[in-house]
Amino acid sequence: MPNRGPMPGTPGSPPGAQGSGPKKDMTERRTLVVGRGISVQGVVQDAERLVVEGTVEATMIHATELSVAPGGVFRGEIEVEDAELAGTVDGTLTARGNLTIRASGRLIGTAKCRRLQVEDGGQVTGRLEMITDQARPSSQPAGEQAQASRPAPSPIAAIDPAHTATP
């Protein structure tokens, strides 16, 4: 029997051999799913959507969307538009848009986001910084740095015997 090429709808079939419905949606957003029980270490490139159900350890990932499922763990540094955490992120997360921490979600480390939503039970441990509008990019951070560099009055010094005069 002669080889007539791939069947329509199978991998390797010519463009247009199948409908543009579901196939087009899957190719529009490049998604990497790390399933339960799977560990990935290293560099992830060109993933627009990262779904973590297992464990991912990476140095720096740029993506559009991060979703960490319950039981999933992401360790490292990631920069995304939107993130939804029902599992754990341990490291540095920058969400230029929304950061949603579900009731089972945990964020350990440093996070920057424009909008934050934490469900009852969600946990944040570490440093959280809100991204503000870029209308005043040079004046806002300088003001924050100036405030941070000034020593704050210490209520402990007033009650600490080492800092009080003896009669």
Side-chain angles (χ1 to χ4, degrees), residues 43-130:
V43 178
V44 176
Q45 294 180 327
D46 301 327
E48 292 177 320
R49 182 169 185 256
L50 176 61
V51 178
V52 180
E53 297 171 352
T55 302
V56 173
E57 293 185 34
T59 53
M60 183 56 180
I61 296 177
H62 292 278
T64 303
E65 183 182 340
L66 170 67
S67 176
V68 182
V73 177
F74 178 90
R75 288 186 189 96
E77 186 175 352
I78 186 163
E79 185 173 322
V80 296
E81 282 299 317
D82 298 308
E84 180 175 335
L85 311 181
T88 301
V89 169
D90 185 353
T92 302
L93 167 66
T94 301
R96 293 180 299 274
N98 298 318
L99 170 56
T100 303
I101 302 174
R102 299 290 177 204
S104 60
R106 289 180 36 187
L107 175 65
I108 304 166
T110 301
K112 295 180 184 180
C113 64
R114 186 169 307 277
R115 288 174 298 282
L116 173 66
Q117 178 182 4
V118 180
E119 290 182 350
D120 191 24
Q123 299 176 16
V124 177
T125 304
R127 182 169 180 241
L128 182 62
E129 181 180 326
M130 300 305 291

Side-chain angles (χ1 to χ4, degrees), residues 32-47:
L32 172 63
V33 178
V34 178
R36 291 201 191 291
I38 297 176
S39 293
V40 174
Q41 292 181 340
V43 178
V44 176
Q45 294 180 327
D46 301 327

